[in-house]
């Protein structure tokens, strides 16, 4: 797929007269080969960390740019029947497609570099203890702290979360990243230790913690001062349970042995756990993982892979599910149309 995208985009670039007149074919091939190798090289090539990180950053940005170029050119090809219709205008239409890709890239960069917005939700929880009425849960997801976002960005997110004055802070997976080295992991852990809420700071594993290794990730969470919930529950307040399920974990196991009648707030990185959570009687499931698609129109594919769920509130078998579209980004620091977010969920007692 990676190779095919490069062939498609650069072949189309060579068909634009302005490019063909001023850029020799061999230069296009060399540029395509260098960009093709940047993302893979950052992950696979041995050598100093600074070189790998530089290649990784170039490759990450290029993933976003290439995707938007592909989408724009595909739209042009659909309009022109892949060059068989409107033949005299095909080169110009492809040129405008590249211009559109450039404009979309700028918009995505601006939105990706913005601070996450705060999104508020109010949830009625049947059986919520009276003293927990109005309790605030601050939610961060998909931080992907891998050294590419930067130490200042991590520190700013900690301050932003603390400023929301939540009673509890939760991180619903992909806090770490499979590409972290020891130095960036240490700095990220130091930043996360600054998170504070009166009832604690809790987290669950996402798929990237699994990729990095569960033992390594568990130590990282410990160093960061995060209380890790691995298919288990804790009593936040008398009569209110907070549970967490691993990325590939068992919801029934996570909720086993809980006090009868106590409402459960379940943290599950993947929204796919929500159906099992509803079956087990969880009052609310909080998830991440989807990034809200991150770069439109990729969200349509992501939604299809998650039972049509992408971001925001949903009803799953009569129980609420709230999906955070991600506080950080994976790969390119780009988001198209929707910024990153931190959630503030306020729990309310059910009243007659």
């Amino acid at each position: 797929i990676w190779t095919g995208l490069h062939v498609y985009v650069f072949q189309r670039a060579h068909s634009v007269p302005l490019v063909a007149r001023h850029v020799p074919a061999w230069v296009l091939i060399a540029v395509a080969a260098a960009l093709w190798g940047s993302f893979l090289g950052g992950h696979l090539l041995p050598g100093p960390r600074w070189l790998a990180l530089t290649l990784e950053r170039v490759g990450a940005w290029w993933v976003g740019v290439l995707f938007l170029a592909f989408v724009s050119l595909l739209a042009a090809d659909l309009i022109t029947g892949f060059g068989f219709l409107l033949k005299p205008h095909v080169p110009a239409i492809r040129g405008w497609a590249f211009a559109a890709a450039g404009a979309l890239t700028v918009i995505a960069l601006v939105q990706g570099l913005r601070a996450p917005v705060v999104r508020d939700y109010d949830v009625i929880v049947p059986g919520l203890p009276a003293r927990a009425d109005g309790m605030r849960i601050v939610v961060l997801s998909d931080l992907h702290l891998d050294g590419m976002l930067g130490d200042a960005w991590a520190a700013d997110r900690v301050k932003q979360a603390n400023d929301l004055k939540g009673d509890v802070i939760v991180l619903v997976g992909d806090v770490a990243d499979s590409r972290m080295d020891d130095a960036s992991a240490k700095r990220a852990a130091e930043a996360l230790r600054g998170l504070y809420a009166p009832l604690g700071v809790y987290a669950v594993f996402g798929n990237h913690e699994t990729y990095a290794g569960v033992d390594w990730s568990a130590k990282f969470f410990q160093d960061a001062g995060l209380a890790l919930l691995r298919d288990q529950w804790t009593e936040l307040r008398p009569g209110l349970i907070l549970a967490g399920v691993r990325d590939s974990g068992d919801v029934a196991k996570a909720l086993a042995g809980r006090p009868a009648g106590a409402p459960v707030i379940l943290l599950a990185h993947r929204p796919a756990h929500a159906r099992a959570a509803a079956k087990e009687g969880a009052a609310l499931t909080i998830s991440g993982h989807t990034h809200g698609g991150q770069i439109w129109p990729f969200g349509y594919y992501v939604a299809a892979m998650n039972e049509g769920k992408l971001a925001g509130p949903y009803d799953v078998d009569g129980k609420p599910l709230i999906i955070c579209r991600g506080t950080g980004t994976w790969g390119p620091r780009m988001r198209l149309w929707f910024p990153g977010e931190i959630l503030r969920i306020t729990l309310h007692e059910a009243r007659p």
Side-chain angles (χ1 to χ4, degrees):
I1 292 172
W2 183 241
T3 302
L5 287 173
H6 282 78
V7 171
Y8 177 79
V9 168
F10 279 89
Q11 188 276 331
R12 293 300 190 267
H14 187 60
S15 71
V16 176
L18 182 65
V19 175
R21 282 197 303 268
H22 298 285
V23 183
W26 69 267
V27 172
L28 281 177
I29 293 171
V31 171
L35 292 170
W36 177 91
S38 61
F39 187 71
L40 300 175
H43 289 77
L44 302 176
L45 287 180
R49 176 58 185 165
W50 68 264
L51 177 59
L53 187 58
T54 300
L55 288 172
E56 204 169 299
R57 283 176 172 164
V58 171
W61 291 110
W62 176 238
V63 167
V65 176
L66 180 68
F67 176 72
L68 289 173
F70 166 72
V71 169
S72 300
L73 287 166
L74 181 61
D77 273 344
L78 292 174
I79 291 170
T80 62
F82 289 85
F84 291 101
L85 303 175
L86 305 172
K87 287 187 178 182
H89 305 288
V90 168
I93 292 173
R94 288 177 178 171
W96 281 109
F98 276 107
L104 291 173
T105 295
V106 171
I107 295 170
L109 288 171
V110 170
Q111 291 184 326
L113 292 170
R114 285 177 56 193
V117 300
V118 176
R119 205 170 304 278
D120 284 291
Y121 293 97
D122 293 275
V123 178
I124 295 174
V125 178
L128 185 71
R131 64 178 300 184
D133 187 44
M135 194 178 90
R136 298 179 303 274
I137 303 173
V138 173
V139 182
L140 299 93
S141 81
D142 301 278
L143 288 164
H144 289 281
L145 298 176
D146 58 3
M148 293 182 64
L149 290 171
D151 300 337
W153 187 90
D156 288 344
R157 299 295 71 76
V158 168
K159 182 179 185 304
Q160 189 178 10
N162 287 343
D163 287 347
L164 295 178
K165 305 298 182 183
D167 296 288
V168 61
I169 296 175
V170 299
L171 294 87
V172 286
D174 285 4
V175 180
D177 198 275
S178 55
R179 301 170 295 178
M180 292 179 77
D181 61 10
D182 290 339
S184 60
K186 182 179 179 180
R187 293 194 303 270
E190 288 174 353
L192 291 173
R193 276 200 297 271
L195 288 170
Y196 171 77
L199 298 180
V201 183
Y202 294 88
V204 294
F205 280 168
N207 50 301
H208 278 264
E209 277 85 18
T210 304
Y211 301 156
V214 293
D215 292 338
W216 182 93
S217 296
K219 184 179 184 306
F220 171 77
F221 278 33
Q222 181 180 28
D223 293 344
L226 307 177
L228 176 60
L229 296 173
R230 300 172 70 176
D231 293 350
Q232 61 192 115
W233 58 267
T234 186
E235 198 166 25
L236 273 182
R237 284 183 170 172
L240 179 62
I241 302 301
L242 180 69
V245 63
R246 294 173 296 125
D247 179 54
S248 58
D250 185 337
V251 173
K253 178 182 177 182
L255 301 185
R258 68 190 186 275
V264 174
I265 311 301
L266 178 71
L267 310 180
H269 181 63
R270 294 181 190 259
H273 286 297
R275 202 165 299 282
K279 181 180 178 181
E280 293 293 328
L284 168 66
T285 300
I286 304 172
S287 295
H289 184 60
T290 68
H291 290 223
Q294 190 164 320
I295 300 178
W296 179 88
F298 192 64
Y300 294 112
Y301 170 79
V302 176
M305 294 296 102
N306 289 277
E307 301 180 346
K309 300 173 181 65
L310 192 62
Y314 296 91
D315 181 286
V316 178
D317 296 340
K319 300 291 185 180
L321 161 69
I322 298 177
I323 302 174
C324 178
R325 67 172 70 253
T327 306
T329 52
W330 181 87
R333 290 286 304 277
M334 297 167 69
R335 282 186 173 273
L336 191 54
W337 309 136
F338 297 102
E341 63 184 19
I342 296 174
L343 307 185
R344 180 169 50 193
I345 300 173
T346 304
L347 306 182
H348 299 282
E349 183 182 6
R351 292 182 175 88

